[in-house]
Amino acid sequence: MPRNHPSTPARPVRGSLLRRLLKSLVLCLGLGWAASATALLSIDFEQPFYVHDGWQVWDFCLIRHEGLYHIFYLAVPESNPHPSESDVIWHATSPDLVHWGAPEYAVTVSHEVYETKAVWAPDVVWDADSGRWAMAYTAVDDLNNQRICLAWSDDLDVWTKSTVNPVLQPSGDAFLYFPDAGWAECRDPFLYREGGLWHILASALTPGLPQGQGSLLHATSNDLEAWSAPDVFLLNTGETPANALESSQYHQINGGHHLFFHEYSSQGVTHLGATEPGGWSFDERTMIDLGIAPEVDSFDDGQTWLLSRAAPYQEPVNPVVSVATRIDTLQFRQGAVAPTVFRADPWARDFVAYGGSMCLGNPCFGDNPAARGDPPAGTVGNSYFGSREYFRGPLSNRGAAGIELGNSATGFLRSHDFVIEGTAIRFLIGGSNQPDLCYIALCDADVDTVLRRTTGNGAETMVQRWWDVTDLQGRSVYLRIEDAAYDGYINLDEIQETYDVITAVPEPAPPATGLRDLGAWPNPFNPRTTLRYSLARAATVDAAVYDLRGRRVWRSGPLQGQVGANGVSWSGESDRGGRLAGGVYVYRITGGAGEAVSGKVTLIP
């Protein structure tokens, strides 16, 4: 049951002229109207997170309209992280769920008695009958009582509250709702269209227990403002029945009925599946992933489903928990009751090959060195590359805030080939000043020679460097990022090809060593093989062997190669001296000028 949205609203567009112009520019770029700009290389290591700096991002909704994604959300300041501090529903946009514009106000508290304290948990839908966007949200009064209110918009920027607010609150004997006592629960609305009617789900309490039993209420409406008397959609019959059922999402997918929610005081996303509407069995619920306040969406008529959720994490130097929004893919497998969460490979967008331990916790989320009290890396956006870091972000299952693998982490990254169109390549770089071991290099894609190379500045904090590539325009190239040092590291961010005019003297390309791969012999082998290579001039080289998962299993250390044919002996053992299992391995030989060659070798059991 994807909630599709129209490409063009039926009402005239209002709102900020500047915002409309910026959106039009993003759309033009996305449609290829500025082909020369979009063809330029851009690698910024960003990941599908939404971060509001200095604020915890909690309940939210996502929609897509005219080529832009919109997030509407509540946030509380980290300096005072209490729900009562959420007096604004915020709004931000993105062309790709990765790069986000600055947040703006959408809806705020007012002088109305029912929403003087806070506004929470927006849900935005398109109402074809009225030709407007509708936002259901939770209004909170001075006693923390909660009611469902509604706002309307023609353009997703300017919102007008309904004149009949609040539009829904529990009544009668079915629900435990006493506003005079304070903290009467009716929050986290979810809207969907079915059977010619609008339906709403919201978190509430029923009188099944003295303190109330967690439940989801349900009501229907023709116009989103006048709602039927609510009934009980689902009861919490689990081990902690008093816990509220929050942030519900209901979708019909592949012939099944899927309900997602968060059980108060838990740290995960709960799923219930049924073959018939309402055929839920609370005992069969499963926790499909960690996180809070789930949001489940499809923006392509149900072909792809996304799971977004609030992702808490703790930085060692910050006594307050930080909360970002993380976005992943949900996979509904044939015959499986519950969906599974798929975390995409963050390297696939920009790189064709990678290996080594340095890639395990990268791209690194946030300014990870500063999070542990070290000098800041100076990252731009939500992520960067730091070869010794180990934190891919909250709910990534890779590391934690402030954690590092250390200088002994090594590896490489090879970008997609691209043709140089601009005049310069700029990037932020930091880390060890080790030009032979820790560097970023621009390489010729046809002959694998190094055209430009830069190492770190000897400090954690990145500084801007650039290459003048005017003489390379039209050439097919790729980037290689290398950390081959046990005692070094490299930081990188914002690698951008531009049309800038470079007035400074460019860094000279390192002299080529003429490194060539001569293959391994014997191959297959047992117990020993020689990794063979040749050099046009004498140079220091380094050989390493990786398994097919990209983990380095053996390294030779620096070797002095001579002009002509050379060889490195490998006995099929790991760095720890143990015999490796039979199978295919990848060897890589790196020259002192940054060249590298690789091949495969088979170890016979």
Side-chain angles (χ1 to χ4, degrees):
M1 189 167 55
R3 297 186 294 169
N4 296 323
H5 306 294
S7 59
T8 305
R11 295 292 181 92
V13 175
R14 298 186 287 116
S16 164
L17 175 62
L18 177 60
R19 285 197 296 269
R20 296 205 306 270
L21 289 174
L22 289 174
K23 289 180 181 179
S24 298
L25 176 60
V26 171
L27 289 174
C28 292
L29 293 176
L31 291 171
W33 294 354
S36 61
T38 56
L40 298 182
L41 174 76
S42 177
I43 300 176
D44 57 15
F45 302 102
E46 297 297 273
Q47 301 184 71
F49 288 97
Y50 180 72
V51 178
H52 189 152
D53 289 336
W55 295 68
Q56 296 179 339
V57 179
W58 290 101
D59 297 71
F60 61 93
C61 72
L62 288 173
I63 65 167
R64 181 173 170 82
H65 177 56
E66 294 185 339
L68 281 178
Y69 295 95
H70 297 251
I71 185 171
F72 294 88
Y73 62 98
L74 74 85
V76 297
E78 289 186 355
S79 59
N80 189 16
H82 191 277
S84 63
E85 296 299 312
S86 176
D87 56 359
V88 172
I89 289 174
W90 298 84
H91 172 216
T93 60
S94 169
D96 55 8
L97 296 173
V98 174
H99 304 89
W100 293 91
E104 299 178 337
Y105 286 9
V107 170
T108 67
V109 296
S110 73
H111 295 299
E112 300 291 347
V113 294
Y114 51 81
E115 61 174 16
T116 52
K117 194 167 192 178
V119 284
W120 297 341
D123 193 40
V124 175
V125 296
W126 172 257
D127 179 36
D129 293 340
S130 67
R132 293 180 294 176
W133 297 93
M135 178 195 294
Y137 65 93
T138 307
V140 185
D141 66 18
D142 284 342
L143 295 178
N144 292 310
N145 298 308
Q146 303 142 32
R147 300 169 176 88
I148 305 303
C149 286
L150 197 74
W152 297 98
S153 177
D154 293 322
D155 59 4
L156 294 171
D157 287 323
V158 178
W159 292 87
T160 302
K161 295 179 181 178
S162 172
T163 58
V164 298
N165 279 340
V167 297
L168 181 66
Q169 64 186 39
S171 59
D173 298 331
F175 295 94
L176 192 68
Y177 192 81
F178 300 108
D180 292 341
W183 199 271
E185 296 195 18
C186 179
R187 62 179 180 272
D188 302 356
F190 174 75
L191 298 170
Y192 63 98
R193 185 87 171 173
E194 187 177 63
L197 290 174
W198 282 105
H199 295 250
I200 191 169
L201 303 179
S203 177
L205 293 176
T206 61
L209 299 170
Q211 68 272 43
Q213 185 171 0
S215 67
L216 295 178
L217 67 74
H218 165 260
T220 59
S221 173
N222 288 308
D223 61 4
L224 292 166
E225 291 187 323
W227 291 90
S228 66
D231 54 33
V232 177
F233 189 81
L234 181 71
L235 281 175
N236 183 346
T237 58
E239 298 79 11
T240 53
N243 285 347
L245 306 179
E246 301 178 314
S247 307
S248 61
Q249 305 273 297
Y250 170 48
H251 297 279
Q252 296 177 30
I253 304 170
N254 297 342
H257 298 262
H258 298 267
L259 187 65
F260 304 85
F261 54 89
H262 167 244
E263 298 178 58
Y264 179 78
S265 80
S266 76
Q267 294 295 318
V269 176
T270 299
H271 169 266
L272 280 174
T275 56
E276 298 294 334
W280 321 112
S281 173
F282 208 83
D283 292 338
E284 296 177 0
R285 71 194 189 282
T286 58
M287 184 181 292
I288 60 171
D289 200 54
L290 295 177
I292 300 170
E295 167 82 3
V296 177
D297 297 287
S298 177
F299 302 111
D300 56 8
D301 294 323
Q303 298 180 50
T304 306
W305 288 88
L306 302 178
L307 171 65
S308 313
R309 60 272 194 220
Y313 61 101
Q314 181 79 55
E315 295 182 345
V317 297
N318 189 352
V320 179
V321 171
S322 298
V323 183
T325 296
R326 181 182 176 91
I327 306 166
D328 289 303
T329 302
L330 269 183
Q331 294 183 334
F332 291 83
R333 302 181 186 277
Q334 191 70 29
V337 175
T340 56
V341 178
F342 174 74
R343 294 170 173 82
D345 181 355
W347 299 122
R349 183 179 66 199
D350 298 311
F351 297 91
V352 296
Y354 61 90
S357 56
M358 76 175 195
C359 298
L360 294 177
N362 272 286
C364 181
F365 179 83
D367 200 322
N368 209 47
R372 60 177 174 262
D374 289 348
T379 182
V380 176
N382 69 50
S383 298
Y384 78 108
F385 175 77
S387 66
R388 67 178 177 183
E389 304 302 325
Y390 189 54
F391 184 40
R392 192 171 277 180
L395 306 186
S396 67
N397 300 329
R398 295 291 182 91
I403 300 298
E404 60 175 327
L405 293 174
N407 290 348
S408 61
T410 59
F412 69 94
L413 290 161
R414 186 201 190 279
S415 77
H416 294 275
D417 293 353
F418 64 99
V419 176
I420 293 180
E421 296 188 12
T423 57
I425 296 178
R426 295 181 178 272
F427 47 89
L428 295 175
I429 187 168
S432 305
N433 186 348
Q434 294 179 278
D436 291 341
L437 298 175
C438 297
Y439 56 84
I440 178 173
L442 182 69
C443 305
D444 187 291
D446 296 323
V447 294
D448 285 328
T449 56
V450 174
L451 305 171
R452 305 283 190 273
R453 186 181 60 174
T454 301
T455 188
N457 59 341
E460 186 81 64
T461 304
M462 294 179 284
V463 296
Q464 188 171 85
R465 294 285 185 265
W466 57 86
W467 297 319
D468 185 337
V469 294
T470 307
D471 60 317
L472 302 177
Q473 288 178 333
R475 199 156 176 175
S476 181
V477 297
Y478 65 89
L479 293 176
R480 184 164 66 248
I481 299 169
E482 189 92 25
D483 180 352
Y486 284 118
D487 58 349
Y489 69 102
I490 184 171
N491 294 338
L492 286 165
D493 203 1
E494 295 294 294
I495 306 171
Q496 306 288 339
E497 183 183 4
T498 74
Y499 288 106
D500 294 346
V501 176
I502 303 300
T503 57
V505 177
E507 298 184 44
T513 62
L515 175 66
R516 292 179 53 210
D517 177 38
L518 299 180
W521 190 89
N523 187 16
F525 76 97
N526 187 338
R528 184 179 298 274
T529 188
T530 299
L531 311 178
R532 302 179 302 165
Y533 64 96
S534 68
L535 290 169
R537 68 175 182 84
T540 300
V541 301
D542 191 292
V545 176
Y546 300 84
D547 64 19
L548 293 182
R549 296 180 62 184
R551 298 175 298 188
R552 196 190 71 215
V553 296
W554 177 82
R555 182 186 178 196
S556 67
L559 301 170
Q560 187 59 45
Q562 304 301 318
V563 175
N566 294 264
V568 182
S569 179
W570 180 48
S571 63
E573 295 183 343
S574 70
D575 281 327
R576 298 179 179 179
R579 185 72 175 175
L580 292 169
V584 177
Y585 293 85
V586 177
Y587 67 85
R588 179 177 174 83
I589 301 170
T590 305
E595 300 104 320
V597 294
S598 61
K600 292 184 179 180
V601 64
T602 301
L603 172 60
I604 301 173

